[in-house]
Short mmCIF file of all heavy atoms in Angstrom, two decimals:
data_model
loop_
_atom_site.label_atom_id
_atom_site.label_comp_id
_atom_site.label_asym_id
_atom_site.label_seq_id
_atom_site.Cartn_x
_atom_site.Cartn_y
_atom_site.Cartn_z
N GLN A 284 -77.56 -26.31 -34.66
CA GLN A 284 -77.83 -25.78 -33.33
C GLN A 284 -76.54 -25.34 -32.65
O GLN A 284 -76.47 -24.25 -32.04
CB GLN A 284 -78.55 -26.82 -32.48
CG GLN A 284 -79.96 -27.12 -32.94
CD GLN A 284 -80.64 -28.16 -32.08
OE1 GLN A 284 -80.02 -28.77 -31.20
NE2 GLN A 284 -81.93 -28.37 -32.31
N GLN A 285 -75.52 -26.15 -32.73
CA GLN A 285 -74.24 -25.81 -32.11
C GLN A 285 -73.66 -24.53 -32.72
O GLN A 285 -73.16 -23.66 -32.00
CB GLN A 285 -73.26 -26.98 -32.27
CG GLN A 285 -73.68 -28.21 -31.49
CD GLN A 285 -72.90 -29.45 -31.88
OE1 GLN A 285 -72.22 -29.48 -32.93
NE2 GLN A 285 -72.99 -30.50 -31.08
N GLN A 286 -73.75 -24.40 -34.04
CA GLN A 286 -73.21 -23.21 -34.70
C GLN A 286 -74.03 -21.98 -34.34
O GLN A 286 -73.46 -20.89 -34.12
CB GLN A 286 -73.19 -23.41 -36.21
CG GLN A 286 -72.53 -22.26 -36.97
CD GLN A 286 -71.09 -22.03 -36.55
OE1 GLN A 286 -70.27 -22.94 -36.63
NE2 GLN A 286 -70.76 -20.82 -36.09
N ALA A 287 -75.35 -22.12 -34.27
CA ALA A 287 -76.19 -20.97 -33.92
C ALA A 287 -75.88 -20.48 -32.51
O ALA A 287 -75.80 -19.27 -32.26
CB ALA A 287 -77.67 -21.35 -34.04
N ALA A 288 -75.71 -21.42 -31.57
CA ALA A 288 -75.39 -21.03 -30.20
C ALA A 288 -74.02 -20.36 -30.14
O ALA A 288 -73.86 -19.31 -29.50
CB ALA A 288 -75.41 -22.26 -29.29
N ARG A 289 -73.04 -20.94 -30.81
CA ARG A 289 -71.70 -20.33 -30.83
C ARG A 289 -71.75 -18.92 -31.40
O ARG A 289 -71.15 -17.99 -30.81
CB ARG A 289 -70.75 -21.20 -31.66
CG ARG A 289 -69.37 -20.57 -31.81
CD ARG A 289 -68.46 -21.39 -32.69
NE ARG A 289 -67.13 -20.81 -32.73
CZ ARG A 289 -66.07 -21.39 -33.30
NH1 ARG A 289 -66.21 -22.58 -33.88
NH2 ARG A 289 -64.90 -20.80 -33.30
N THR A 290 -72.43 -18.74 -32.50
CA THR A 290 -72.51 -17.42 -33.13
C THR A 290 -73.15 -16.41 -32.20
O THR A 290 -72.69 -15.26 -32.10
CB THR A 290 -73.31 -17.51 -34.44
OG1 THR A 290 -72.62 -18.40 -35.34
CG2 THR A 290 -73.44 -16.15 -35.10
N TRP A 291 -74.20 -16.81 -31.48
CA TRP A 291 -74.86 -15.89 -30.55
C TRP A 291 -73.93 -15.50 -29.41
O TRP A 291 -73.80 -14.32 -29.07
CB TRP A 291 -76.14 -16.50 -29.98
CG TRP A 291 -76.58 -15.79 -28.73
CD1 TRP A 291 -76.54 -16.25 -27.45
CD2 TRP A 291 -77.06 -14.43 -28.63
NE1 TRP A 291 -76.97 -15.30 -26.57
CE2 TRP A 291 -77.30 -14.18 -27.27
CE3 TRP A 291 -77.31 -13.43 -29.57
CZ2 TRP A 291 -77.78 -12.94 -26.81
CZ3 TRP A 291 -77.78 -12.20 -29.12
CH2 TRP A 291 -78.02 -11.98 -27.75
N PHE A 292 -73.25 -16.47 -28.81
CA PHE A 292 -72.39 -16.16 -27.68
C PHE A 292 -71.26 -15.21 -28.11
O PHE A 292 -70.89 -14.30 -27.36
CB PHE A 292 -71.82 -17.44 -27.06
CG PHE A 292 -72.85 -18.33 -26.43
CD1 PHE A 292 -72.85 -19.69 -26.68
CD2 PHE A 292 -73.83 -17.80 -25.62
CE1 PHE A 292 -73.81 -20.51 -26.10
CE2 PHE A 292 -74.80 -18.61 -25.04
CZ PHE A 292 -74.79 -19.97 -25.29
N GLU A 293 -70.74 -15.40 -29.28
CA GLU A 293 -69.67 -14.52 -29.75
C GLU A 293 -70.20 -13.13 -30.07
O GLU A 293 -69.52 -12.12 -29.80
CB GLU A 293 -68.98 -15.15 -30.96
CG GLU A 293 -68.18 -16.40 -30.60
CD GLU A 293 -67.53 -17.08 -31.79
OE1 GLU A 293 -67.80 -16.65 -32.94
OE2 GLU A 293 -66.76 -18.04 -31.58
N SER A 294 -71.41 -13.03 -30.60
CA SER A 294 -71.98 -11.71 -30.88
C SER A 294 -72.33 -10.99 -29.58
O SER A 294 -72.17 -9.76 -29.48
CB SER A 294 -73.21 -11.83 -31.77
OG SER A 294 -74.29 -12.46 -31.10
N LEU A 295 -72.79 -11.74 -28.57
CA LEU A 295 -73.06 -11.13 -27.27
C LEU A 295 -71.77 -10.61 -26.66
O LEU A 295 -71.74 -9.51 -26.08
CB LEU A 295 -73.72 -12.15 -26.34
CG LEU A 295 -74.06 -11.67 -24.93
CD1 LEU A 295 -75.04 -10.51 -24.96
CD2 LEU A 295 -74.62 -12.83 -24.09
N ARG A 296 -70.69 -11.37 -26.78
CA ARG A 296 -69.38 -10.89 -26.32
C ARG A 296 -69.02 -9.56 -26.96
O ARG A 296 -68.59 -8.61 -26.28
CB ARG A 296 -68.33 -11.95 -26.64
CG ARG A 296 -66.89 -11.65 -26.20
CD ARG A 296 -66.06 -10.90 -27.25
NE ARG A 296 -66.19 -11.42 -28.59
CZ ARG A 296 -65.45 -12.42 -29.08
NH1 ARG A 296 -64.52 -12.99 -28.35
NH2 ARG A 296 -65.62 -12.81 -30.35
N ASP A 297 -69.20 -9.47 -28.26
CA ASP A 297 -68.86 -8.23 -28.96
C ASP A 297 -69.69 -7.05 -28.45
O ASP A 297 -69.15 -5.95 -28.25
CB ASP A 297 -69.09 -8.40 -30.46
CG ASP A 297 -68.13 -9.39 -31.10
OD1 ASP A 297 -67.10 -9.71 -30.46
OD2 ASP A 297 -68.41 -9.85 -32.22
N SER A 298 -70.99 -7.27 -28.21
CA SER A 298 -71.86 -6.19 -27.73
C SER A 298 -71.49 -5.75 -26.33
O SER A 298 -71.44 -4.55 -26.03
CB SER A 298 -73.32 -6.65 -27.76
OG SER A 298 -73.74 -6.93 -29.08
#
Side-chain angles (χ1 to χ4, degrees):
Q284 292 180 353
Q285 293 167 345
Q286 185 59 57
R289 175 183 184 172
T290 298
W291 162 251
F292 295 134
E293 291 178 353
S294 69
L295 180 61
R296 182 270 315 273
D297 293 344
S298 297

